[in-house]
Amino acid sequence: MNPTPHFIGGRWTAGNGPVFASTNPVDGQPIWQGAAADSGTVDAAVEAARQAFPAWAALPVEARAERLRAFARALEADATKLGHLISLEVGKPRWESATEVKSMIGKCELTISAYARRCSEFSGSGAVTRFRPHGVVAVLGPFNFPGHLANGHIMPALLAGNTVIFKPSDKAPLVAERTVQLWEESGLPSGVLNLLQGAAEPARALAAHDGVDGVFFTGSSRAGIALNEAAARTPGKILALEMGGNNPLVVHDPGDLTAAAFLAAQSAFITSGQRCTCARRLYVTAATPPSFLEKLTAITGALRVGAPEDDPEPFAGPLISAEAASAFLQKQEELRAAGAGKLLEGRSLRAGSGLVSPAIWDVTELSGLPDEETFGPLLQVVRVETLEDAIRAANDTDYGLAAGIITRDRKAYETFRNSARAGIINWNQQLTGASGAAPFGGIGLSGNHRPSAYFAADYCSYPVASLEAETPEVPAALPPGVTLY
């Protein structure tokens, strides 16, 4: 039991809300427990952030950048421990947790570069444009990248001069706690970064709070839509949403079938399918040899799934909980009942655990399948005749985060790139691959046109345009009807 789970105004404080716990997704054992933030705790965090804002915003950007660099140095020194906590709390294999920490470290210089490029003062036609922070922003983080994705909002928000209230997923409070401790070690002034723990209630209270000027969210479309609805009457509150996707991957005349099958398996099943960019729908054209699906099934069936500490190390770990594993298996049963063809059946690998094996089902003959994101290792295959058929089917979704094509035909890629409706479109790369030096976001139910990563600088501040003169002057030509005395 953590008696002081919240960090407010530079102090670790107690909570007064309901007690909740995070559990190890491999065995279901509790690993962290604390009392959630209630409305009074939320108010205290907002007040601390508001009090800290003027002095933080007044610092030169170089001074704020040095705090980011100090945090990156703290991350480097703590990389092994933080990686272990990520594996412990969300079940990622050690190799993947280490990669996440490296991404957090690399985000520092990328954030500084992005701000300099996108938010530097500039002049034109007599006007000067400068950028100003919003004020107090809430960062609502997900469980699947509990360090990296939350940090992808926190760093640019702080660099721009905002103060931050971080509300992580209730499934990853331990990783959030350690991350904030590292920020504390970096020398941030009191109140500049605050931490509130809990489930949905603190998030709702933050989003609706009059003292919060912005909400940066990563999570489900359902939650994002609720945030959007809540903000409808407060257009001055900046809202940045990243909400996942029902992502298509097309295979068309791929050439090397083994490479194509590997990329498809990696796209669908990395992180046990718990990435918002994972491939959910696979469209295979008639220009792809039938043996492609045989290779894909063989490679997928051989993927090692296990606990992070297993030796040899697994490719993928568990789903976030036993409940998530049950939902995955239930979805598979729904496809079976609807008449889908089994290429590879997913199964539970340990009772009471999030450990499941990946599944591939042929849904070519089915119609009316729900347009939804199944957050797990489930790939639905559709066989189509032409590239045009594949593009039309790929775009048949209300989401629009990621889309990809595996083909040796450049013209086919260019056709796909110009037609696919998504914010991320990859060619002969895993669908889950993304660069921190590029925008990351989608359209439709996947986002609200505020991509993160390199473009996070855009929503962490706002432009102020000024027409300026050293002294007031009378113009050489007066407008009609004016007489000066």
Side-chain angles (χ1 to χ4, degrees):
M1 182 74 180
N2 184 347
T4 55
H6 312 291
F7 188 66
I8 299 173
R11 298 175 57 190
W12 292 94
T13 64
N16 299 306
V19 174
F20 74 102
S22 70
T23 58
N24 186 318
V26 174
D27 57 21
Q29 294 299 306
I31 58 174
W32 186 99
Q33 188 169 291
D38 65 359
S39 60
T41 312
V42 172
D43 288 342
V46 174
E47 178 60 24
R50 295 226 70 86
Q51 290 291 330
F53 171 66
W56 179 249
L59 288 175
V61 68
E62 294 81 8
R64 296 195 297 266
E66 181 48 40
R67 292 306 95 215
L68 267 64
R69 291 189 172 107
F71 174 62
R73 292 192 293 270
L75 281 171
E76 288 177 333
D78 198 65
T80 300
K81 178 179 179 179
L82 184 59
H84 168 72
L85 294 183
I86 293 171
S87 292
L88 179 68
E89 191 161 51
V90 302
K92 286 188 178 182
R94 290 175 180 172
W95 68 266
E96 192 177 356
S97 294
T99 300
E100 180 169 352
V101 177
K102 288 179 182 177
S103 296
M104 294 173 70
I105 296 168
K107 184 67 180 176
C108 172
E109 293 303 329
L110 283 172
T111 297
I112 295 169
S113 171
Y115 187 84
R117 182 175 179 183
R118 303 188 67 78
C119 300
S120 291
E121 177 181 322
F122 66 91
S123 302
S125 300
V128 181
T129 300
R130 303 177 180 90
F131 292 82
R132 186 176 294 173
H134 299 289
V136 175
V137 299
V139 172
L140 309 181
F143 73 81
N144 59 336
F145 283 88
H148 175 51
L149 288 180
N151 191 55
H153 290 307
I154 292 171
M155 270 196 172
L158 292 177
L159 182 64
N162 302 283
T163 53
V164 173
I165 303 169
F166 174 30
K167 209 302 288 182
S169 167
D170 59 329
K171 296 178 175 62
L174 182 59
V175 172
E177 180 179 277
R178 184 57 190 156
T179 302
V180 172
Q181 287 170 350
L182 295 175
W183 274 111
E184 185 182 13
E185 292 175 13
S186 75
L188 278 183
S190 297
V192 170
L193 176 64
N194 306 274
L195 172 67
L196 294 178
Q197 302 277 18
E201 279 306 314
R204 281 194 285 263
L206 274 175
H209 204 289
D210 290 341
V212 172
D213 301 295
V215 179
F216 305 158
F217 167 79
T218 305
S220 70
S221 295
R222 176 181 52 79
I225 290 169
L227 287 170
N228 201 47
E229 290 173 344
R233 292 185 175 274
T234 54
K237 185 175 292 189
I238 186 75
L239 190 64
L241 304 174
E242 195 276 283
M243 302 183 292
N246 188 15
N247 308 304
L249 178 64
V250 172
V251 181
H252 172 77
D253 186 21
D256 188 330
L257 295 184
T258 301
F262 167 73
L263 286 173
Q266 194 174 35
S267 297
F269 305 122
I270 195 170
T271 322
S272 292
Q274 295 176 120
R275 292 195 187 187
C276 54
T277 49
C278 277
R280 311 296 178 193
R281 299 174 289 145
L282 179 66
Y283 296 99
V284 182
T285 72
T288 302
S291 57
F292 163 75
L293 285 176
E294 297 172 5
K295 284 184 174 290
L296 172 61
T297 302
I299 289 173
T300 303
L303 293 176
R304 187 180 298 114
V305 179
E309 65 274 12
D310 283 357
D311 187 14
E313 193 170 13
F315 167 75
L319 294 179
I320 190 60
S321 65
E323 292 76 15
S326 295
F328 157 75
L329 294 172
Q330 176 59 36
K331 177 62 180 179
Q332 182 176 245
E333 290 307 310
E334 292 172 4
L335 290 177
R336 188 200 310 273
K342 179 181 68 177
L343 299 180
L344 182 67
E345 183 170 4
R347 54 192 178 87
S348 172
L349 300 179
R350 185 183 302 182
S353 167
L355 287 166
V356 294
S357 64
I360 305 174
W361 289 78
D362 189 329
V363 298
T364 302
E365 302 302 321
L366 305 188
S367 61
L369 288 172
D371 180 20
E372 62 186 12
E373 180 182 40
T374 300
F375 218 55
L378 176 62
L379 182 62
Q380 300 179 52
V381 175
V382 180
R383 306 169 198 256
V384 295
E385 284 298 316
T386 67
L387 176 62
E388 289 70 26
D389 293 335
I391 292 172
R392 187 164 48 251
N395 285 338
D396 187 17
T397 176
D398 289 331
Y399 293 87
L401 179 56
I405 186 169
I406 301 173
T407 181
R408 59 184 172 182
D409 183 344
R410 171 175 280 275
K411 288 186 177 179
Y413 164 61
E414 291 172 350
T415 298
F416 182 80
R417 186 192 66 209
N418 292 329
S419 303
R421 295 185 65 257
I424 299 165
I425 301 175
N426 289 353
W427 176 32
N428 291 333
Q429 298 283 337
Q430 67 185 75
L431 193 56
T432 50
S435 170
F440 181 91
I443 58 176
L445 291 182
S446 293
N448 65 334
H449 301 284
R450 293 194 174 98
S452 59
Y454 204 77
F455 278 35
D458 295 8
Y459 58 75
C460 288
S461 62
Y462 65 95
V464 177
S466 300
L467 297 176
E468 301 177 346
E470 292 292 338
T471 60
E473 296 180 356
V474 174
L478 294 174
V482 175
T483 302
L484 299 180
Y485 294 93

